[in-house]
Amino acid sequence: MAHLSTVKHSSADWRKVKSDAIAVGIYDDLKLSRQLQGVNRELGRGLSNALAAKLINGKVGEVKTVVGKKGAIAFVFGLGKRGELNAETLRRAGGGVSKACIANKVDSVAFIMPVDGKENYFSQAAAEGLVLGSYQFNEFKTTDEDPFEMKGATVVGGHKTSVSKGAHIAHGVCLARNVENRPGNVATPTHIADNAKEIGKAGGMKVTVFDREKFTKMGMGALAGVASGTEVPPKFIIMEYMGGPKKQKPKVLVGKGLTFDSGGISIKPAAKMDEMKYDMCGSGVVLGVMKAVAELKPKMNIIGIIPSTENMSGDKAYRPGDVLTAYNGKTIEVLNTDAEGRLILADALSYATKHYDPEYILDFATLTGAVVVALGHVATGIMGTDEALVKAIKTSSKTTGEKVWEFPLWDEYIDQVKSRIADVKNVGAPMQAGTIAGGAFLKSFVGEDIPWCHFDIAGTAWGDKDLPYQNKGTATGEVIRLVVDLLGI
Ligand code: BES
Ligand code: MN
Ligand code: ZN
């Protein structure tokens, strides 16, 4: 497990905390607070020497290494403008400090909170950053000459339960990243189901897995259609966490678990096709949230649903023109076998509608290339049917720093996915509003009265961001922190 497994907390003086290095913050006015003066004395004026040499700027995201007398190591992280300190700055600081530990082969660090006690969310963010920044995906490296993993971190000061909460949430994100980073020949639908079972066992959840024969018999014709081109066994996975009163409505999370998307008969171009191993990142969000739920054990009911298959071509594969019947009885004209995500989600959303009485349904999917055109790798595209739910999602987005942007689901767009020969078709108007067409299609499979929101994470699920708590070019686990916040855990 290449990430910190715990983050400790101490309210003792930092000099009493056993660690190989300390980490301390400085604002960009570079004033030596009492805290920093203490550190400076301990380092034999190492800090004022570094400041005199203009090595430290105190900018957000900056982490500088200062070596004091007898080899004492301090990582100095930037806090930006005094008076503007926020959680994201501390998350970046935590991530940067862990990365500095790894780069310098420092086993453990005492992270001194720059502000005292009360700000719970600051402590949570620092702990999230420390764990997420320590994450490395190296399970396929057999010849790494110089591997190094961090052993421990202690947050000094701040709020104890928030530190452990932050670490638990980050464990969920790291689990998702592990499954997501694995390639299609390893992270198969069976592998996703095994992860769901393991999380379920630890968290007291009931996990049910339907295989091809079972879900086909049950009427999931859309998932069966997509799965017809692969011999790798597809799965329909249900995780039930009932931590609240039996009668309390559950919150349902649905995730696209497409373990490799070749496009099927409507085959994709070769360039970057390898990235389609990430097409299961929606299911990663569900697994990651459920892992955090298993560790935090909130008093509420949460259901996770993952339809999972590959999308391949071949003589058994479904074809453009085929008509499929989804679990809710609606018929779908397939005009492009590469618009497969919405098909497998159609059955999952129908299942959630029929078998639960959800407080709300959220779905997560790497659904469209169009969302990358619209929002780049900066924000997740969202669209939903309930104003209050969307508003709450935007609030959690602000709190957690995971950006979302809302698209409209106006009737004109709903009309664009109507089929001439079936109820709906799986593409919208050619070359137009591709991300909204995906959402408009999904809406047909959600019960009329159920608040629902769709998250198109195709731009945010794997990395392009320069963030100390993410690793560029690999899975990010984005929106897991947002969803945990939204759930109110
Ligand atoms: N998994 C892809 C979407 C995707 C593409 C995610 C690139 C990340 C990067 C999805 O299944 C897909 O192929 N969507 C099509 C839909 C189209 C055929 C209507 C797309 O976006 O091109
Ligand atoms: Mn596709
Ligand atoms: Zn796909």
Side-chain angles (χ1 to χ4, degrees):
M1 195 167 49
H3 62 80
L4 279 173
S5 57
T6 49
V7 178
K8 286 185 236 140
H9 173 264
S10 171
S11 33
D13 184 278
W14 61 267
R15 292 171 192 84
K16 300 216 168 73
V17 177
K18 261 187 86 155
S19 68
D20 299 305
I22 59 159
V24 67
I26 190 165
Y27 290 99
D28 68 2
D29 58 15
L30 305 180
K31 283 200 182 119
L32 289 188
S33 60
R34 270 187 45 197
Q35 189 184 61
L36 285 166
Q37 283 169 20
V39 170
N40 195 29
R41 262 197 302 280
E42 216 60 24
L43 291 170
R45 296 187 53 80
L47 199 51
S48 28
N49 291 340
L51 285 169
K54 296 204 165 29
L55 294 179
I56 293 172
N57 299 300
K59 296 262 180 302
V60 174
E62 176 184 286
V63 176
K64 292 286 169 70
T65 308
V66 174
V67 180
K69 63 180 179 189
K70 291 188 205 149
I73 300 170
F75 297 120
V76 183
F77 53 85
L79 295 171
K81 277 209 165 39
R82 195 178 289 274
E84 290 180 15
L85 184 62
N86 58 42
E88 177 64 14
T89 295
L90 288 166
R91 194 176 293 110
R92 289 183 192 195
V97 165
S98 284
K99 285 215 167 20
C101 285
I102 293 169
N104 294 290
K105 295 198 163 41
V106 171
D107 277 331
S108 63
V109 66
F111 184 100
I112 306 170
M113 286 297 285
V115 279
D116 250 0
K118 312 291 173 280
E119 297 277 4
N120 299 1
Y121 197 64
F122 283 8
S123 308
Q124 181 184 324
E128 286 170 358
L130 284 163
V131 176
L132 296 176
S134 76
Y135 178 82
Q136 301 175 71
F137 184 72
N138 46 20
E139 64 183 40
F140 294 109
K141 289 241 184 229
T142 66
T143 55
D144 191 341
E145 287 111 50
D146 217 12
F148 182 82
E149 287 176 25
M150 228 180 132
K151 313 282 179 304
T154 306
V155 171
V156 184
H159 191 257
K160 187 179 167 82
T161 48
S162 305
V163 169
S164 74
K165 183 177 176 185
H168 287 312
I169 295 169
H171 290 159
V173 177
C174 291
L175 176 128
R177 287 180 181 177
N178 275 339
V179 180
E180 292 167 0
N181 282 325
R182 290 178 187 135
N185 64 332
V186 176
T188 57
T190 302
H191 180 75
I192 293 177
D194 289 345
N195 271 275
K197 285 179 197 163
E198 205 169 304
I199 293 164
K201 207 165 164 197
M205 303 172 194
K206 184 177 169 205
V207 177
T208 310
V209 180
F210 300 142
D211 62 11
R212 189 199 300 266
E213 202 188 341
K214 173 81 177 164
F215 68 66
T216 306
K217 231 184 239 159
M218 288 170 69
M220 297 190 186
L223 175 60
V226 175
S228 60
T230 180
E231 283 179 24
V232 171
K235 304 284 174 193
F236 189 88
I237 304 157
I238 304 153
M239 308 172 78
E240 295 177 301
Y241 173 81
M242 302 298 277
K246 263 212 166 75
K247 288 225 169 89
Q248 196 176 77
K249 289 184 172 198
K251 307 168 205 286
V252 181
L253 313 176
V254 174
K256 171 179 173 183
L258 216 295
T259 56
F260 182 71
D261 182 12
S262 72
I265 299 288
S266 316
I267 195 164
K268 286 183 181 296
K272 291 195 184 178
M273 206 204 265
D274 58 293
E275 292 189 355
M276 285 300 114
K277 72 172 184 177
Y278 291 121
D279 212 16
M280 38 61 68
C281 285
S283 68
V285 173
V286 175
L287 291 177
V289 172
M290 292 312 252
K291 166 81 175 168
V293 165
E295 292 192 6
L296 290 163
K297 302 202 163 45
K299 291 191 168 48
M300 58 179 79
N301 301 329
I302 308 166
I303 310 294
I305 302 180
I306 299 171
S308 183
T309 179
E310 296 187 325
N311 183 25
M312 304 300 262
S313 50
D315 62 323
K316 297 201 184 68
Y318 76 136
R319 314 152 196 77
D322 283 1
V323 175
L324 307 174
T325 305
Y327 188 67
N328 68 350
K330 287 199 182 169
T331 54
I332 306 164
E333 184 186 14
V334 176
L335 290 179
N336 190 320
T337 63
D338 197 13
E340 83 300 331
R342 60 199 74 184
L343 299 175
I344 69 171
L345 289 173
D347 282 335
L349 293 168
S350 304
Y351 186 90
T353 297
K354 182 168 172 195
H355 294 274
Y356 302 97
D357 178 20
E359 181 187 331
Y360 56 70
I361 302 176
L362 310 176
D363 78 70
F364 312 96
T366 47
L367 206 73
T368 65
V371 81
V372 190
V373 177
L375 301 174
H377 297 283
V378 175
T380 293
I382 58 166
M383 59 215 87
T385 48
D386 187 87
E387 237 177 83
L389 176 62
V390 171
K391 195 171 164 214
I393 290 166
K394 287 178 182 171
T395 303
S396 291
S397 164
K398 288 228 167 74
T399 306
T400 57
E402 298 194 309
K403 291 193 167 68
V404 298
W405 193 256
E406 186 186 4
F407 291 96
L409 268 184
W410 292 315
D411 288 345
E412 289 88 334
Y413 298 115
I414 307 294
D415 289 342
Q416 290 179 359
V417 293
K418 285 188 177 147
S419 161
R420 257 182 300 172
I421 65 157
D423 298 331
V424 284
K425 58 185 163 86
N426 76 336
V427 298
M431 311 294 291
Q432 294 171 40
T435 299
I436 303 177
F441 176 92
L442 294 176
K443 187 171 177 280
S444 305
F445 300 92
V446 181
E448 291 272 342
D449 310 322
I450 304 172
W452 158 75
C453 186
H454 162 58
F455 290 67
D456 193 333
I457 57 170
T460 49
W462 68 97
D464 194 58
K465 288 184 182 143
D466 253 325
L467 284 172
Y469 57 84
Q470 289 185 1
N471 296 343
K472 244 185 153 177
T474 68
T476 61
E478 262 197 48
V479 309
I480 292 171
R481 292 190 295 103
L482 183 158
V483 173
V484 170
D485 186 77
L486 177 77
L487 291 169
I489 294 172

